[in-house]
Amino acid sequence: MNDENKTYSMSCTVNLLNFYKEIDRRAMYIRYLYKLKDLHVSYENYTEAAYTLLLHARLLKWSDEPNTAPMQGAHSQSLHTQRQLKEALYNQIIHYFDQGKMWEEAIHICKELAEQYESEVFEYEMLSDILQRQARFYENILQVLRPNPDYFAVGYYGQGFPPFLRNKQFIYRGKEYERREDFEMRLLTPFPSAEKLPSTAPPEPAVADSPGQYIQCFTVQPAEEPRDRFKGRNVPEQIVNFYKANNIQQFSYSRPFRKGPKDPDNEFATMWIERTTFLTAYPLPGILRWFVVTATATTIISPLENAIETMQKTNEKILCEIQRHRGEPGLPVNPLSMLLNGIVDPAVMGGFAKYETAFFHEAYMLEHPEDQARIERLKDLIAWQIPLLAEGIRIHGKKVPEDLRPFHERMEQCFLQLRTKVESQYGQRALPFLEERRGGRPCSRAWGLETEQPSCLHQDSLAPPPARKSVPCASEHPPEAEERKSERRENRSSTFFGYRRQEHRQSVSEPPEPKEEKWRLSRNMSESVLGGAEAKQLPTERDASHAPPSATGADAPSPSSRAGADPPYLTYIEGAAGLPRGFTGRVKSASKAAPLPRKISSSVYETFLEQSPVPSSGKQLTVDGSKALKSPPPPPPKAKRLVQP
């Protein structure tokens, strides 16, 4: 533990952990867990520190049982139950995962904590806090740049190494943006007398038995396991990339070699691949940045199978670039330019014409009849590449600067020739609809229709709204039920939108009102009762004298002016709404105001008389006490009662 090389102190600590776990010494096991965690934090290995603490948290229960094992940390004295300790550990684990940019793992812990806060202890304030942290992690997944780490296979051969390294192979997880040269320098620093093996092939037995120190290092690729939940789905690249390089236990290395006579004109015809697969003891990342290799397997890939894999990877790369540029229009166009030009211009890389020369002639088919299905598979991949290239060139043409326009035009000419040739030989393919992405999320068609619906509020009120094809159940309800639902929604809405919706429904479902019928003009009236035919025979004098000053007969609009979508009186009448013909019930204003007083004060009435014309009869109207007031004949509102002397 006192060695200057803390890296190998971590390996020895893990060996002690496994030993204490086997003999069931829980207290010693937990003690060395925290020693390992401190080593990781000192090296800024926050992801590994989180996985180390998770081993202790998994030993605890969500219960109020007292802690029996020794506790570590500054706040350990106040954590008396297993629930309290597990909650504190989970919060520390989330913090470490956040620092290591492992937000997917932090989300799993957040969900478990949220379940406890919501269903077990009912701590809604803590639930709100943990859900906000979880939402921020989801945003980071889509918005924060997170490069995938590189993985390296390292072998220690020779009797000069310590026993826990001697003649063993490990898979190391590199740091962010760490190059292989930098990693090798860091690896060789503890062993200044070690010699680096130049070959990636397994060493001879004499090297393993020699007294010296030999180190072998090369880059390996993580073997992604198939995930059923992503199959056939349009998943954002940021989500998929995480699973391509994390939680991986199998890694592969491909070494090309020649078999048979070499063809100087076409190297693909004789290029075979020796693929070695490494299986580690535990998935990476874990409680260490490296794990020992427990098993290896070697397979031989034929030239035709290698061509199929190469075409698959190329098509996936084109599709990935298309989705990136559709989701983020501000991306630079240079990587897309190099990718497309390397495929469509035969002078750059030769394209797939080398595959046609090597495998599509009659001599090869007669010599390898078992490869007929693979040849058809390769032809199909070539045919599918054409629509991908067409979409990529279309995006490139929209984003290319003017100084690179000749380069784009030449690429278009090469692609047209390539397209004509491929479609005539292997058929024509059509890509499915590529969904637009906004912020990494695909936009569904139903969502797009929903966002267009509010625009009908700004159109002419006489025009019916567009049909909503995305809601097939709308036609199953009768119009009366739909009108009742719409009226309930309007009563819950604001004054302005309530008016606009009522006006819109009236113009669509009802014919225009006759000119004799009156309109409700003031928002100060809370209720109005329509009396059918009697409402049409209101005298003109009553309209002129009984209206409030803000809505006199001179200011009231005619019914014909209400046919438009945006009538001019909207600027000063906020609660007006058209009444459907034949409606005899109660109409409530969208913003309910207090009713008018039953008696009119003298000052208000005198002010009103100055603005009103004198009645033709020449008799002066007076306001007396309650005894002198007479109720007008129905159906005028009961808000004002005026009498003649």
Side-chain angles (χ1 to χ4, degrees):
M1 296 300 297
N2 297 325
D3 198 316
E4 293 181 359
N5 190 351
K6 299 299 182 182
T7 302
Y8 302 111
S9 299
M10 296 178 188
S11 296
C12 296
T13 304
V14 171
N15 292 338
L16 277 174
L17 287 175
N18 294 333
F19 170 72
Y20 286 128
K21 186 177 181 181
E22 289 176 0
I23 65 175
D24 198 17
R25 294 290 298 273
R26 185 169 179 174
M28 297 298 293
Y29 175 77
I30 295 175
R31 176 184 176 185
Y32 278 93
L33 272 179
Y34 282 88
K35 288 183 178 292
L36 179 61
K37 186 265 295 182
D38 294 337
L39 286 173
H40 282 310
V41 173
S42 64
Y43 273 80
E44 298 183 354
N45 299 335
Y46 298 113
T47 299
E48 288 72 22
Y51 280 118
T52 303
L53 283 183
L54 195 58
L55 292 179
H56 185 197
R58 296 302 188 199
L59 298 177
L60 303 173
K61 302 177 182 178
W62 291 112
S63 67
D64 295 329
E65 299 178 7
N67 292 322
T68 57
M71 295 177 290
Q72 306 285 336
H75 305 285
S76 59
Q77 301 301 325
S78 60
L79 306 175
H80 304 292
T81 64
Q82 292 196 22
R83 181 187 298 277
Q84 293 174 347
L85 180 57
K86 189 166 186 174
E87 180 183 356
L89 286 175
Y90 269 17
N91 281 287
Q92 187 66 30
I93 290 168
I94 291 172
H95 175 67
Y96 284 149
F97 274 138
D98 186 17
Q99 288 183 294
K101 297 183 179 180
M102 296 285 291
W103 298 303
E104 287 81 357
E105 298 297 327
I107 287 173
H108 293 317
I109 306 299
C110 288
K111 289 180 178 179
E112 190 171 347
L113 272 178
E115 176 68 22
Q116 292 295 318
Y117 291 148
E118 183 179 10
S119 304
E120 298 294 333
V121 297
F122 304 101
E123 290 282 352
Y124 281 9
E125 291 184 3
M126 303 298 294
L127 176 63
S128 173
D129 178 69
I130 202 66
L131 290 178
Q132 290 178 24
R133 296 173 71 183
Q134 182 178 338
R136 181 170 57 85
F137 295 152
Y138 279 117
E139 292 179 355
N140 291 342
I141 291 173
L142 294 177
Q143 298 176 3
V144 178
L145 179 62
R146 182 171 50 169
N148 289 334
D150 291 332
Y151 289 93
F152 308 98
V154 179
Y156 299 91
Y157 301 102
Q159 301 298 318
F161 288 107
F164 62 90
L165 297 176
R166 187 181 304 156
N167 294 332
K168 292 182 180 179
Q169 221 172 2
F170 299 84
I171 301 296
Y172 281 74
R173 184 173 185 259
K175 294 188 176 182
E176 200 173 71
Y177 297 110
E178 186 174 29
R179 301 181 304 168
R180 185 171 65 89
E181 293 79 7
D182 299 333
F183 175 77
E184 289 179 352
M185 185 179 299
R186 182 163 59 90
L187 195 67
L188 293 171
T189 300
F191 307 102
S193 60
E195 182 180 349
K196 182 179 179 300
L197 294 177
S199 175
T200 60
E204 299 293 334
V207 175
D209 297 335
S210 65
Q213 295 177 343
Y214 299 92
I215 294 180
Q216 186 183 56
C217 178
F218 51 91
T219 305
V220 294
Q221 302 298 325
E224 181 188 4
E225 298 179 0
R227 300 185 181 273
D228 295 337
R229 62 174 181 155
F230 294 158
K231 188 175 182 180
R233 298 172 181 262
N234 195 4
V235 184
E237 179 190 5
Q238 299 92 327
I239 299 176
V240 178
N241 282 346
F242 173 81
Y243 297 99
K244 289 182 178 180
N246 294 279
N247 299 325
I248 305 296
Q249 199 168 356
Q250 289 188 0
F251 304 84
S252 64
Y253 174 75
S254 300
R255 185 175 64 88
F257 68 96
R258 303 291 176 184
K259 190 175 181 180
K262 182 179 179 180
D263 187 355
D265 298 330
N266 194 344
E267 60 180 6
F268 295 103
T270 58
M271 181 180 292
W272 293 69
I273 300 296
E274 181 187 75
R275 179 163 299 161
T276 304
T277 303
F278 304 94
L279 179 66
T280 56
Y282 305 98
L284 282 168
I287 61 173
L288 287 175
R289 295 195 72 94
W290 63 90
F291 285 120
V292 66
V293 175
T294 57
T296 58
T298 303
T299 56
I300 304 299
I301 307 297
S302 67
L304 180 58
E305 292 172 337
N306 182 36
I308 293 175
E309 290 185 1
T310 305
M311 285 296 302
Q312 285 178 336
K313 293 179 181 179
T314 303
N315 290 354
E316 291 175 1
K317 193 172 183 179
I318 300 172
L319 181 60
C320 179
E321 284 294 319
I322 290 173
Q323 292 176 343
R324 287 179 66 240
H325 282 271
R326 290 172 70 93
E328 301 179 30
L331 287 177
V333 75
N334 294 340
L336 182 63
S337 302
M338 293 186 293
L339 176 63
L340 297 176
N341 191 51
I343 298 174
V344 302
D345 193 350
V348 179
M349 297 180 61
F352 46 76
K354 298 290 186 181
Y355 299 148
E356 297 174 333
T357 306
F359 309 115
F360 292 174
H361 55 85
E362 186 177 357
Y364 182 88
M365 296 180 183
L366 293 176
E367 186 178 356
H368 303 278
E370 70 280 1
D371 289 343
Q372 184 63 35
R374 296 188 181 95
I375 291 175
E376 295 300 326
R377 170 62 175 160
L378 182 58
K379 291 180 179 180
D380 188 61
L381 289 172
I382 293 174
W384 274 110
Q385 194 176 86
I386 296 302
L388 290 172
L389 291 173
E391 179 66 15
I393 291 176
R394 186 191 67 82
I395 295 176
H396 186 270
K398 294 173 61 177
K399 302 180 66 174
V400 67
E402 289 300 326
D403 55 344
L404 294 179
R405 182 63 59 180
F407 166 77
H408 175 76
E409 293 176 355
R410 166 166 173 75
M411 192 162 56
E412 281 185 331
Q413 294 175 0
C414 296
F415 172 69
L416 290 177
Q417 298 176 3
L418 183 67
R419 184 174 195 168
T420 304
K421 172 179 175 295
V422 171
E423 291 182 351
S424 62
Q425 294 181 357
Y426 312 125
Q428 186 176 1
R429 303 291 190 273
L431 277 177
F433 177 74
L434 289 175
E435 294 178 328
E436 291 285 352
R437 292 172 178 268
R438 293 182 180 178
R441 181 184 65 188
C443 177
S444 63
R445 296 174 185 242
W447 179 267
L449 288 176
E450 288 291 331
T451 56
E452 295 173 2
Q453 290 302 319
S455 63
C456 66
L457 295 177
H458 305 286
Q459 298 172 358
D460 186 41
S461 61
L462 292 176
R468 297 184 56 168
K469 298 181 180 179
S470 61
V471 187
C473 61
S475 60
E476 299 175 2
H477 303 284
E480 295 81 3
E482 290 297 326
E483 186 173 354
R484 288 195 298 270
K485 289 183 180 180
S486 178
E487 183 175 354
R488 286 196 295 269
R489 286 195 297 267
E490 291 159 6
N491 291 335
R492 292 194 300 266
S493 61
S494 64
T495 302
F496 175 74
F497 286 101
Y499 162 71
R500 296 297 296 269
R501 291 191 181 103
Q502 290 180 0
E503 182 74 7
H504 183 70
R505 191 183 69 239
Q506 159 67 15
S507 63
V508 173
S509 60
E510 298 290 341
E513 290 290 333
K515 294 183 179 180
E516 303 88 61
E517 294 193 10
K518 304 301 179 182
W519 300 83
R520 180 166 55 100
L521 300 180
S522 176
R523 62 175 296 183
N524 296 328
M525 299 177 62
S526 61
E527 296 181 355
S528 297
V529 180
L530 302 180
E534 294 179 358
K536 302 179 182 179
Q537 299 176 359
L538 294 177
T540 308
E541 291 82 7
R542 184 179 295 126
D543 289 342
S545 60
H546 294 182
S550 61
T552 60
D555 295 332
S558 63
S560 60
S561 67
R562 301 177 62 94
D566 295 320
Y569 59 84
L570 271 179
T571 57
Y572 57 90
I573 296 181
E574 189 174 356
L579 300 178
R581 188 172 64 180
F583 183 83
T584 58
R586 301 169 63 191
V587 179
K588 295 184 178 181
S589 175
S591 59
K592 189 172 182 180
L596 290 175
R598 304 181 66 87
K599 295 182 180 181
I600 302 177
S601 64
S602 302
S603 60
V604 173
Y605 184 70
E606 291 173 359
T607 304
F608 176 65
L609 286 180
E610 295 176 359
Q611 302 177 358
S612 303
V614 180
S616 58
S617 61
K619 297 181 180 181
Q620 185 178 2
L621 299 177
T622 61
V623 177
D624 201 349
S626 59
K627 296 181 179 180
L629 293 175
K630 293 183 179 180
S631 299
K638 294 185 293 182
K640 304 174 184 178
R641 299 181 180 180
L642 305 178
V643 298
Q644 294 180 355

